[in-house]
C-alpha cells in the first residue's frame, strides 16, 4: 500500500524529468492518480512507464502548444500538438466549459493527442460549475466489430457526469468494449484467466486466455455477442470514433496509433494522433440549476430505494463504487501489484527519481 502523496510526488517528478512544465506535470499526475484513487488500477500509475516509453520513442511532445484550429461560439476543434492526453484533454474541456458559460453548451473535438487516462476525470471537471460534462476518446484498435475477427475499434470509453444537490454526483464511465484492455493487463500480471465473453481468438472463437491479444485475438464489443447485444456496443464504439476523430481530423478505426511504444504507428495515417470529444452543458440553459439538482437528488434516492434481488444489498448509482473506493484509498493507501512496483522502481532508477 502506498500513500497517495508518495505516488503523486513520484509521478510528478517523472513527468518533470521527461520535460513537462511544472503546471503540466501537476495536471498529468492529478489525472493519472485519480484513476488509482477511484479503483481503476488499469489506468493509473501502472501506465506511467508506457507514457515515458512513448516519449522516448518521440511520440509524445512534453511541451505542446495546444491550439484552437477552428471554432464557432459553441464548438471548437483543438490540436494537441502531440502532447500528453492527460494534459490536452483537460485543457480542451476548459474550452468546452468556457463556451458553455458563454452560450449554454460547448463541444470540443480534439486531434493530435495521446491516451488521456480515465474519461471520467474530464467529464467531472464540469460538476463544480453546475454543468453536465461528457468525455470520450478513441483508442488503438483492439476490438472487432460484431461478425468480424479484425481489430477495427478501440475500447473507446464514454463518460457522463451530472451534478446533484445533497446526493453525490452521477458519474458513468465505461468502455464500449466488454472490458477495457487494462483489465486484461491486470489479469496477465496476476496470471489469471479472463471471463468468457471478453476476448475471441484470431479465428473468432471464445477464449479465456488473457494473453490472447498477443496471439492475434481481439476484444469483443460491449454485449460480447449478437444475442446479448454486441451490435449496440459496436455502435457506441463507432460513435465515439466518429465524434473523436472523423470530426476532428485525428486517426480513426484501424489507423489509431498504438499505446505501446514497441508497435509503430500505421505508415498510412488518415489524421493526426488520437482524438477526443469533450462536452459541457450549463444546466441553467435548460432549467434553473437548483431546481434540476433537487430533482437529481430525487432521481438518485428513488433508484437507491428500488427493490433488490435476493442476495444483493442495494442498487448502486453510477459513480458510487469509485467514490467509496476513493475514500478508502485516501485513508489506507493505494495498492500496487508486485509487477507494477518493480516497473515503477526501474523507471525511477532510470530517470533518477527515488521510488
Amino acid at each position: 500500500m502506498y500513500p497517495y502523496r508518495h505516488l503523486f510526488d513520484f509521478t510528478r517528478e517523472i513527468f518533470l524529468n521527461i520535460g513537462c512544465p511544472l503546471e503540466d506535470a501537476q495536471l498529468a499526475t492529478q489525472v493519472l492518480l485519480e484513476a488509482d484513487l477511484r479503483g481503476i488500477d488499469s489506468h493509473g500509475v501502472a501506465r506511467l512507464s508506457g507514457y515515458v516509453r512513448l516519449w522516448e520513442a518521440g511520440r509524445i511532445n512534453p511541451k505542446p502548444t495546444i491550439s484552437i484550429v477552428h471554432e464557432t461560439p459553441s464548438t471548437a476543434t483543438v490540436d494537441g500538438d502531440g502532447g500528453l492526453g492527460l494534459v490536452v484533454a483537460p485543457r480542451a474541456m476548459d474550452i468546452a466549459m468556457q463556451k458553455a458559460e458563454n452560450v449554454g453548451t460547448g463541444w470540443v473535438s480534439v486531434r493530435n493527442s495521446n491516451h488521456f487516462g480515465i474519461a471520467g476525470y474530464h467529464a467531472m471537471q464540469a460538476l463544480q460549475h453546475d454543468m453536465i460534462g461528457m468525455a470520450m476518446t478513441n483508442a488503438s484498435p483492439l476490438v472487432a466489430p460484431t461478425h468480424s475477427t479484425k481489430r477495427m475499434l478501440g475500447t473507446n470509453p464514454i463518460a457522463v457526469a451530472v451534478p446533484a444537490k445533497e446526493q453525490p454526483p452521477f458519474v458513468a464511465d465505461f468502455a464500449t468494449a466488454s472490458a477495457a484492455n487494462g483489465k486484461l493487463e491486470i489479469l496477465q500480471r496476476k496470471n489469471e484467466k479472463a471471463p468468457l465473453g471478453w476476448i475471441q481468438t484470431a479465428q473468432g472463437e471464445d477464449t479465456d486466455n488473457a494473453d490472447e491479444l498477443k496471439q492475434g485475438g481481439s476484444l469483443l464489443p460491449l454485449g460480447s455477442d449478437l444475442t446479448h447485444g454486441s451490435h449496440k456496443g459496436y455502435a457506441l464504439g463507432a460513435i465515439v470514433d466518429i465524434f473523436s476523430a472523423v470530426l476532428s481530423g485525428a486517426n480513426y478505426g484501424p489507423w489509431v496509433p498504438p499505446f505501446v511504444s514497441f508497435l509503430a504507428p500505421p505508415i498510412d495515417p488518415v489524421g493526426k494522433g488520437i482524438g477526443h470529444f469533450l462536452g459541457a452543458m450549463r444546466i441553467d440553459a435548460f432549467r434553473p440549476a437548483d431546481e434540476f439538482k433537487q430533482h437529481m437528488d430525487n432521481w438518485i434516492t428513488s433508484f437507491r430505494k428500488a427493490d433488490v434481488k435476493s442476495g444483493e444489498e442495494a442498487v448502486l448509482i453510477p459513480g458510487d463504487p469509485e467514490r467509496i473506493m476513493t475514500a478508502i484509498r485516501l485513508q489506507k493507501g493505494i495498492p500496487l501489484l508486485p509487477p507494477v512496483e518493480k516497473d515503477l522502481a526501474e523507471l525511477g532508477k532510470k530517470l533518477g527519481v527515488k521510488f
Side-chain angles (χ1 to χ4, degrees):
M1 303 294 282
Y2 289 82
Y4 172 81
R5 191 72 242 177
H6 173 83
L7 292 178
F8 189 98
D9 292 344
F10 172 78
T11 302
R12 181 190 57 204
E13 290 303 310
I14 294 295
F15 283 129
L16 287 172
N17 269 265
I18 68 171
C20 294
L22 178 58
E23 184 178 355
D24 287 3
Q26 291 270 137
L27 178 56
T29 299
Q30 186 174 337
V31 177
L32 203 62
L33 266 291
E34 187 72 16
D36 289 300
L37 283 180
R38 293 175 70 79
I40 311 172
D41 299 334
S42 57
H43 285 57
V45 292
R47 286 192 176 247
L48 181 57
S49 61
Y51 292 105
V52 173
R53 285 192 290 269
L54 286 175
W55 166 74
E56 290 173 331
R59 288 171 50 191
I60 281 182
N61 177 7
K63 297 178 179 177
T65 300
I66 301 166
S67 60
I68 296 174
V69 295
H70 182 81
E71 68 178 323
T72 72
S74 62
T75 66
T77 300
V78 165
D79 190 296
D81 194 26
L84 284 163
L86 304 168
V87 173
V88 175
R91 299 277 160 74
M93 189 60 176
D94 287 340
I95 294 169
M97 291 189 296
Q98 184 59 59
K99 288 183 175 293
E101 187 65 39
N102 292 337
V103 298
T105 67
W107 305 97
V108 177
S109 195
V110 180
R111 72 187 188 201
N112 203 8
S113 186
N114 283 282
H115 191 279
F116 78 176
I118 57 169
Y121 178 93
H122 314 298
M124 289 190 295
Q125 286 179 247
L127 294 174
Q128 59 186 319
H129 302 286
D130 277 351
M131 295 181 186
I132 294 171
M134 297 178 62
M136 55 188 79
T137 184
N138 70 355
S140 52
L142 296 172
V143 180
T146 302
H147 299 314
S148 179
T149 59
K150 184 176 180 180
R151 300 174 180 180
M152 295 292 291
L153 291 168
T155 53
N156 294 10
I158 299 172
V160 177
V162 185
K165 189 172 185 181
E166 302 298 332
Q167 290 292 320
F170 173 106
V171 182
D173 182 1
F174 57 96
T176 55
S178 286
N181 183 44
K183 290 187 176 180
L184 285 184
E185 293 171 347
I186 291 173
L187 292 176
Q188 291 162 12
R189 294 181 192 116
K190 293 181 176 180
N191 198 28
E192 294 179 358
K193 293 184 180 297
L196 289 175
W198 281 19
I199 328 166
Q200 65 181 5
T201 67
Q203 292 74 40
E205 299 169 345
D206 285 341
T207 179
D208 60 5
N209 179 10
D211 289 297
E212 192 67 38
L213 294 185
K214 300 174 183 177
Q215 300 170 29
S218 56
L219 290 170
L220 293 168
L222 187 62
S224 299
D225 57 40
L226 186 61
T227 302
H228 296 94
S230 70
H231 58 295
K232 299 175 183 178
Y234 162 38
L236 285 170
I239 289 168
V240 172
D241 203 32
I242 293 166
F243 281 24
S244 300
V246 180
L247 197 58
S248 68
N251 289 292
Y252 48 80
W255 289 278
V256 179
F259 178 74
V260 291
S261 60
F262 58 83
L263 293 178
I267 60 174
D268 58 343
V270 292
K272 295 182 177 180
I274 74 168
H276 319 311
F277 188 77
L278 296 307
M281 296 183 284
R282 209 175 69 216
I283 290 168
D284 66 5
F286 297 88
R287 70 186 298 189
D290 194 62
E291 180 181 284
F292 169 85
K293 291 192 290 185
Q294 287 178 8
H295 280 279
M296 273 305 299
D297 279 356
N298 188 48
W299 189 95
I300 290 169
T301 54
S302 68
F303 273 75
R304 291 197 196 284
K305 294 175 182 177
D307 295 340
V308 297
K309 295 190 292 186
S310 176
E312 302 293 341
E313 294 184 1
V315 172
L316 295 172
I317 304 301
D320 279 351
E322 294 87 353
R323 176 176 52 83
I324 293 167
M325 184 62 73
T326 296
I328 292 171
R329 290 189 169 184
L330 281 174
Q331 180 182 8
K332 296 185 176 181
I334 296 169
L336 299 181
L337 292 171
V340 176
E341 286 184 294
K342 180 182 178 183
D343 185 47
L344 293 177
E346 291 175 351
L347 179 63
K349 184 177 180 180
K350 181 169 67 173
L351 294 179
V353 179
K354 180 177 174 55
F355 179 66

